[in-house]
mmCIF file of all heavy atoms in Angstrom:
data_model
loop_
_atom_site.group_PDB
_atom_site.id
_atom_site.type_symbol
_atom_site.label_atom_id
_atom_site.label_comp_id
_atom_site.label_asym_id
_atom_site.label_seq_id
_atom_site.Cartn_x
_atom_site.Cartn_y
_atom_site.Cartn_z
ATOM 1 N N LEU A 10 56.033 -43.459 20.798
ATOM 2 C CA LEU A 10 54.634 -43.852 20.647
ATOM 3 C C LEU A 10 53.788 -43.360 21.816
ATOM 4 O O LEU A 10 52.643 -42.924 21.651
ATOM 5 C CB LEU A 10 54.527 -45.375 20.528
ATOM 6 C CG LEU A 10 55.045 -45.978 19.216
ATOM 7 C CD1 LEU A 10 55.054 -47.500 19.287
ATOM 8 C CD2 LEU A 10 54.155 -45.521 18.055
ATOM 9 N N PHE A 151 -0.314 -1.978 20.419
ATOM 10 C CA PHE A 151 -0.145 -0.687 21.093
ATOM 11 C C PHE A 151 0.996 0.090 20.430
ATOM 12 O O PHE A 151 2.034 -0.494 20.096
ATOM 13 C CB PHE A 151 0.170 -0.894 22.577
ATOM 14 C CG PHE A 151 -0.916 -1.612 23.332
ATOM 15 C CD1 PHE A 151 -1.016 -2.989 23.304
ATOM 16 C CD2 PHE A 151 -1.842 -0.898 24.070
ATOM 17 C CE1 PHE A 151 -2.019 -3.652 24.001
ATOM 18 C CE2 PHE A 151 -2.849 -1.547 24.767
ATOM 19 C CZ PHE A 151 -2.937 -2.928 24.731
ATOM 20 N N VAL A 204 18.239 1.495 19.164
ATOM 21 C CA VAL A 204 17.327 2.634 19.276
ATOM 22 C C VAL A 204 17.481 3.360 20.603
ATOM 23 O O VAL A 204 16.755 4.329 20.870
ATOM 24 C CB VAL A 204 15.858 2.189 19.087
ATOM 25 C CG1 VAL A 204 15.634 1.685 17.678
ATOM 26 C CG2 VAL A 204 15.468 1.131 20.113
ATOM 27 N N ILE A 426 0.353 -6.000 7.249
ATOM 28 C CA ILE A 426 1.293 -7.124 7.309
ATOM 29 C C ILE A 426 1.183 -7.828 8.656
ATOM 30 O O ILE A 426 1.143 -9.067 8.734
ATOM 31 C CB ILE A 426 2.731 -6.629 7.059
ATOM 32 C CG1 ILE A 426 2.908 -6.222 5.593
ATOM 33 C CG2 ILE A 426 3.752 -7.701 7.434
ATOM 34 C CD1 ILE A 426 4.244 -5.552 5.292
ATOM 35 N N GLU A 677 -34.343 13.864 -17.808
ATOM 36 C CA GLU A 677 -35.670 14.457 -17.894
ATOM 37 C C GLU A 677 -36.631 13.829 -16.892
ATOM 38 O O GLU A 677 -37.399 14.510 -16.230
ATOM 39 C CB GLU A 677 -36.199 14.307 -19.318
ATOM 40 C CG GLU A 677 -35.365 15.096 -20.326
ATOM 41 C CD GLU A 677 -35.595 14.636 -21.753
ATOM 42 O OE1 GLU A 677 -36.398 13.702 -21.932
ATOM 43 O OE2 GLU A 677 -34.972 15.196 -22.661
ATOM 44 N N MET A 702 -17.599 16.931 -2.549
ATOM 45 C CA MET A 702 -16.449 16.686 -3.418
ATOM 46 C C MET A 702 -15.145 17.045 -2.708
ATOM 47 O O MET A 702 -14.167 16.296 -2.732
ATOM 48 C CB MET A 702 -16.574 17.515 -4.697
ATOM 49 C CG MET A 702 -17.721 17.144 -5.593
ATOM 50 S SD MET A 702 -17.397 15.693 -6.598
ATOM 51 C CE MET A 702 -16.117 16.318 -7.658
ATOM 52 N N ASP A 722 -21.937 2.339 -27.019
ATOM 53 C CA ASP A 722 -23.283 2.184 -27.558
ATOM 54 C C ASP A 722 -23.402 0.801 -28.180
ATOM 55 O O ASP A 722 -22.395 0.177 -28.531
ATOM 56 C CB ASP A 722 -23.555 3.240 -28.633
ATOM 57 C CG ASP A 722 -23.692 4.628 -28.028
ATOM 58 O OD1 ASP A 722 -23.895 4.705 -26.806
ATOM 59 O OD2 ASP A 722 -23.578 5.614 -28.771
#
Side-chain angles (χ1 to χ4, degrees):
L10 289 173
F151 299 82
V204 295
I426 289 173
E677 295 162 0
M702 294 281 293
D722 289 343

